[in-house]
Amino acid sequence: MDLEYTPEQQSFRAEARAFLEAHVPKNLPPLDTPEGFPLHVEWEQLLFDNRWAVVDWPEKYGGRDCSLLEWLIFEEEYYRAGGPQRATQNGIFLLGPTLLKFGSEEQKDRILTKMARAEELWCQGWSEPGAGSDLAALTSRADKVDGGFKLYGAKTWSTRGTFSHKTFGLFRTDPESERHRGLTYFLVDLQAEGIGVRPINKLDGDEGFAEVYLDGVFVPDRDVLGEVGKGWNVAMATTGPERGLTLRSPGRFLAMADRLVALAKDRPDACDDRIRDRVADHWMKAEAFRQLGLWTDRRIAAGEDVGAESSVMKLHWSHLDIDLHETALEILGPDAESEMKNGAWMKSYLFGLANPIWGGTSEIQRNIVAERILGLPRK
Ligand SMILES: Cc1cc2nc3c(=O)[nH]c(=O)nc-3n(C[C@H](O)[C@H](O)[C@H](O)COP(=O)(O)OP(=O)(O)OC[C@H]3O[C@@H](n4cnc5c(N)ncnc54)[C@H](O)[C@@H]3O)c2cc1C
């Protein structure tokens, strides 16, 4: 494998670096707050106007037709420059790729550009009060009516649900069906009649989630994604990117590991041998994730299906993120509390604690690795 970047890739990196260094906003208020959210959206729009919002999408939707490798390079530069969390992430990283694969031309033309420009923000409406790890246990239903469907049920833990305009989720369209069968993937307007959105605060107090109630919400036929009754297959196309590379790219952890090294150098008195070993360990694991990303990119480019291996990546970054933060907090000691105000280590630690839950828990990822990669028997 050739680990050198081509001259074109190097000039792509230089162009991204120049833009990001000049434009990344500093000290934005937190994303999931009424004062922070619009400023993050403004930043997304600046990214879009300069064609940096969705570099790997087709040009007609505001992208640059870049390869996955170029997207990985962009992500490294984005986090190196201190870019904030993406307000559009559930749209551009989850629904977007699913629409590109399963959407009709009409759906793609109608939805993708607005999603990338942060004009329409999307949240994921999958989990239900009685269906999380076991998503196929979901009970929300959709009844066929003239010209569309009426949706009933409740979705929960929708990240950024209070700030979003639309949601995407699975509903049971065949009342006789069980488990994975008879489900349909719907795109739902959160302003529609019959919708109720209730905010749920995160550990840090920000309005990070919402519960979404649906009581006879009309969704037109044109907002079914994929075939009626085949929603499970469409949804599984969303989980690959979520668990693997795209929702948490290696660039984020490389930048965080560099920040940790800088913090340790800044506070040598707080770092004994044990801490120094941990800093080195986390830095190497961030670099290992980068190598895993590059290897995965080559395999995808060769037409291979990454499949269950995205669970290995999810496990790796979920726990690396927590380790990086815990070491930083130990170095900061009592200063970690006051640092919370600036939205740095402490605040992102509180969110990081949820990594082994969202996007599929670590126990579920280990089950997948055990059964589908190692071939261990199912219990
Ligand atoms: C920060 C955050 C953001 C989220 N964002 C979204 C979102 O935007 N949209 C959305 O739809 N959902 C979202 N979720 C919900 C998330 O997907 C679920 O919390 C997750 O799938 C787990 O489901 P559950 O909470 O119902 O827990 P359960 O499934 O009830 O699990 C409880 C415990 O049992 C374990 N367990 C369950 N089944 C097994 C098994 N077969 N083997 C071993 N152990 C098992 C789990 O690992 C867990 O420890 C988010 C959650 C968090 C924390």
Side-chain angles (χ1 to χ4, degrees):
M1 181 175 169
D2 183 2
L3 289 177
E4 292 297 316
Y5 290 107
T6 63
E8 291 75 26
Q9 287 158 356
Q10 285 171 17
S11 83
F12 175 79
R13 184 187 288 282
E15 192 189 344
R17 182 172 294 187
F19 173 81
L20 292 164
E21 281 183 350
H23 294 95
V24 161
K26 302 286 175 221
N27 301 322
L28 282 184
L31 171 59
D32 294 322
T33 57
E35 63 280 16
F37 196 77
L39 299 174
H40 284 260
V41 167
E42 257 176 43
W43 161 238
E44 291 288 344
Q45 288 171 343
L46 184 72
L47 275 176
F48 180 86
D49 291 344
N50 289 276
R51 291 198 310 121
W52 291 112
V54 283
V55 293
D56 55 331
W57 285 16
E59 282 185 24
K60 85 186 262 212
Y61 305 122
R64 292 176 180 238
D65 267 321
C66 284
S67 63
L68 178 61
L69 183 53
E70 284 162 325
W71 177 80
L72 288 167
I73 293 171
F74 171 77
E75 286 278 300
E76 283 182 19
E77 293 304 321
Y78 186 86
Y79 289 104
R80 181 185 171 278
Q85 196 182 346
R86 303 291 303 271
T88 48
Q89 67 170 27
N90 289 321
I92 62 170
F93 295 141
L94 298 180
L95 180 59
T98 314
L99 262 171
L100 285 166
K101 191 162 172 188
F102 291 95
S104 64
E105 287 310 308
E106 184 278 326
Q107 287 173 326
K108 290 191 258 187
D109 290 346
R110 175 160 53 91
I111 298 171
L112 286 172
T113 305
K114 286 185 183 166
M115 178 192 289
R117 201 193 286 136
E119 206 177 313
E120 269 180 9
L121 290 149
W122 289 82
C123 63
Q124 183 187 29
W126 285 23
S127 304
E128 296 184 1
S133 301
D134 187 11
L135 186 62
L138 64 85
T139 56
S140 291
R141 69 175 211 274
D143 299 345
K144 185 73 188 111
V145 294
D146 197 20
F149 292 81
K150 283 216 165 175
L151 272 46
Y152 299 85
K155 299 286 180 181
T156 192
W157 309 124
S158 282
T159 296
R160 229 142 283 129
T162 32
F163 299 106
S164 299
H165 305 102
K166 312 242 168 166
T167 187
F168 53 96
L170 289 176
F171 292 79
R172 200 164 288 285
T173 34
D174 176 357
E176 305 296 315
S177 68
E178 285 182 1
R179 307 288 302 158
H180 313 89
R181 294 184 198 86
L183 301 172
T184 301
Y185 201 120
F186 286 98
L187 309 174
V188 184
D189 186 348
L190 288 174
Q191 312 303 320
E193 213 182 313
I195 291 268
V197 177
R198 187 177 75 82
I200 308 176
N201 287 3
K202 292 187 299 183
L203 196 55
D204 61 12
D206 295 348
E207 273 180 26
F209 309 104
E211 244 172 338
V212 178
Y213 301 97
L214 304 103
D215 185 13
V217 176
F218 177 74
V219 175
D221 287 325
R222 68 177 194 158
D223 284 332
V224 169
L225 180 54
E227 282 177 56
V228 172
K230 298 280 170 57
W232 188 260
N233 300 347
V234 181
M236 287 308 101
T238 307
T239 61
E242 178 174 11
R243 287 180 186 153
L245 279 180
T246 48
L247 212 47
R248 286 290 181 272
S249 71
R252 178 190 291 246
F253 302 102
L254 289 167
M256 211 187 293
D258 283 343
R259 276 177 56 217
L260 181 66
V261 170
L263 181 70
K265 284 185 178 162
D266 246 20
R267 298 182 174 227
D269 294 347
C271 301
D272 56 16
D273 285 350
R274 188 182 55 91
I275 296 272
R276 278 197 290 273
D277 277 355
R278 271 169 48 182
V279 171
D281 169 81
H282 307 337
W283 190 90
M284 285 188 288
K285 283 185 179 149
E287 180 60 27
F289 187 31
R290 189 170 85 91
Q291 303 293 335
L292 187 61
L294 294 173
W295 183 60
T296 305
D297 164 70
R298 291 299 81 202
R299 293 182 53 209
I300 292 173
E304 288 180 43
D305 183 9
V306 178
E309 283 162 45
S310 63
S311 293
V312 176
M313 287 189 251
K314 165 94 206 304
L315 278 168
H316 185 79
W317 62 249
S318 293
H319 295 276
L320 172 60
D321 192 34
I322 295 176
D323 291 347
L324 279 157
H325 281 90
E326 285 184 346
T327 304
L329 295 184
E330 208 172 322
I331 296 172
L332 285 165
D335 294 344
E337 277 296 302
S338 52
E339 227 234 346
M340 169 101 180
K341 284 199 268 342
N342 306 326
W345 288 106
M346 179 60 111
K347 194 166 178 66
S348 55
Y349 172 62
L350 293 179
F351 185 80
L353 289 173
N355 290 338
I357 304 174
W358 66 269
T361 70
S362 289
E363 289 77 19
I364 296 299
Q365 307 312 319
R366 290 192 187 102
N367 284 352
I368 293 172
V369 172
E371 290 163 10
R372 298 197 211 151
I373 300 181
L374 302 177
L376 298 179
R378 292 174 73 94
K379 69 172 171 59

